[in-house]
Amino acid sequence: MTGAGSPSDHPMVVAVCAYRVENVEKNFRHNISQLRDDEYVVLLDRPHSAQAEAVAEKVRAEGGSMRVLGANNGLSASRNTILRERPHHHILFIDDDVRLDATAVDEVRAAFRAGAHVTGTRLVRPSTLRKLPFFVTSGQFHLIGWHRPQGEIKIWGACMGVDSAFAAAHGLDFDLALSRTGGGLLSGEDTSFIGLMKQYGARERLLGHVAVVHDVDPHRLRLRYLLRRAYWQGRSEVRRKSTVPGFRKELDRHRNAPEARWRSLLLTVVYGGATLLGIAREH
């Protein structure tokens, strides 16, 4: 390993900031098999349990490492722990329900070695999930954690590459006030962090031509969850001090979906109303 030289000098670590131990167990063998001598680290943001310790042993047996943090401190806290403990690394943060692809990992590594400080791939739904509920169009994909199949992407936390030395040099970390913890669905700590990195001159590389599968839990495709997610999106935009532009962005996402126009307009009202309630609650 090298010190804090140019970005291309850093080793890469795949960091799984996890909450669901069953997802870790389901995905770790596949994900480790997609790497090329990269470090694989899991931080489980949960209390200690026999199940968690058993999965940790399995991860270690496959060449990775896993630590049970002992409490639910939130996603931002887990990510900040990785930034602090790997200060001269290329870090590929992934969620516990992401299934990596070797080509995508290679592209992330190449982007870092070419000088990128932040990078990310397209996040797509599993190929087995073909039929979506009536109340889900591509206008709601961002609430689930998927990019649209075509077009531009943004770097999202489910698959987000960060040069930790650049972040450390500028004193940047993830905002705890936006951290998803327990039953809350706060969000935006990832895009806010990327925005700060870019403000300080970080070079961004978007890898929309490669994809990883975001195999989300089935409950995320239920109307109740999506309305909660839209509600918390509103609360998050207030905390990010972007209430008006954030609300406009949400409305644009819903109404610009390419599906049937009348359905997109109906869902704009439904989800936009939930977001507005979140804004009102946070104020």
Side-chain angles (χ1 to χ4, degrees):
M1 293 187 181
T2 60
S6 67
S8 60
D9 292 333
H10 305 330
M12 192 164 87
V13 54
V14 174
V16 187
C17 294
Y19 181 72
R20 302 171 187 83
V21 67
E22 60 273 17
N23 283 344
V24 175
E25 185 170 24
K26 180 172 67 174
N27 293 319
F28 78 87
R29 286 191 180 90
H30 168 84
N31 285 341
I32 288 175
S33 72
Q34 307 304 301
L35 310 185
R36 299 179 188 270
D37 299 321
D38 308 301
E39 187 180 2
Y40 187 83
V41 176
V42 180
L43 290 186
L44 184 67
D45 189 37
R46 296 294 291 270
H48 292 277
S49 68
Q51 180 190 16
E53 297 299 343
V55 172
E57 286 300 319
K58 293 177 183 178
V59 172
R60 294 173 193 132
E62 296 292 330
S65 64
M66 175 171 164
R67 188 157 87 246
V68 182
L69 297 178
N72 179 212
N73 295 313
L75 187 55
S76 289
S78 294
R79 287 177 172 156
N80 288 338
T81 297
I82 294 292
L83 286 179
R84 184 173 61 252
E85 295 182 353
R86 303 294 192 282
H88 306 304
H89 289 68
H90 298 142
I91 303 173
L92 179 59
F93 289 102
I94 64 171
D95 284 357
D96 55 31
D97 50 5
V98 161
R99 291 178 61 82
L100 291 174
D101 172 82
T103 300
V105 176
D106 289 346
E107 290 282 344
V108 168
R109 192 185 304 104
F112 278 133
R113 290 178 178 174
H117 298 110
V118 290
T119 188
T121 70
R122 193 178 298 277
L123 292 154
V124 298
R125 57 178 166 167
S127 59
T128 54
L129 187 58
R130 295 185 179 138
K131 186 173 178 58
L132 295 173
F134 166 83
F135 48 82
V136 176
T137 71
S138 59
Q140 290 74 55
F141 278 11
H142 68 291
L143 299 177
I144 301 168
W146 299 328
H147 292 108
R148 293 179 180 178
Q150 289 85 34
E152 295 182 355
I153 67 169
K154 293 185 69 174
I155 299 174
W156 289 346
C159 188
M160 171 179 60
V162 173
D163 178 55
S164 63
F166 185 95
H170 297 285
L172 304 179
D173 57 15
F174 292 91
D175 190 345
L176 297 177
L178 295 173
S179 183
R180 185 173 302 188
T181 307
L185 295 176
L186 284 166
S187 62
E189 85 295 331
D190 48 358
T191 52
S192 295
F193 177 83
I194 294 298
L196 283 173
M197 290 278 284
K198 291 165 66 176
Q199 284 180 30
Y200 281 91
R203 293 184 291 273
E204 179 183 55
R205 176 74 188 280
L206 302 175
L207 303 174
H209 60 289
V210 291
V212 301
V213 173
H214 197 184
D215 190 12
V216 300
D217 293 336
H219 81 275
R220 292 197 188 186
L221 295 177
R222 297 173 183 165
L223 181 60
R224 180 178 179 182
Y225 172 85
L226 289 167
L227 290 174
R228 284 185 63 230
R229 179 68 180 80
Y231 165 83
W232 280 97
Q233 185 72 34
R235 298 190 65 170
S236 300
E237 296 298 348
V238 175
R239 294 195 184 195
R240 296 173 69 186
K241 297 179 172 57
S242 61
T243 304
V244 173
F247 184 58
R248 287 175 178 166
K249 175 190 65 180
E250 289 301 299
L251 293 182
D252 287 343
R253 281 169 162 168
H254 297 306
R255 68 188 176 202
N256 291 335
E259 288 81 358
R261 184 67 178 162
W262 68 269
R263 183 155 63 116
S264 295
L265 290 174
L266 173 62
L267 296 179
T268 298
V269 173
V270 172
Y271 290 109
T275 302
L276 196 58
L277 283 174
I279 290 171
R281 173 64 177 83
E282 194 66 25
H283 275 299

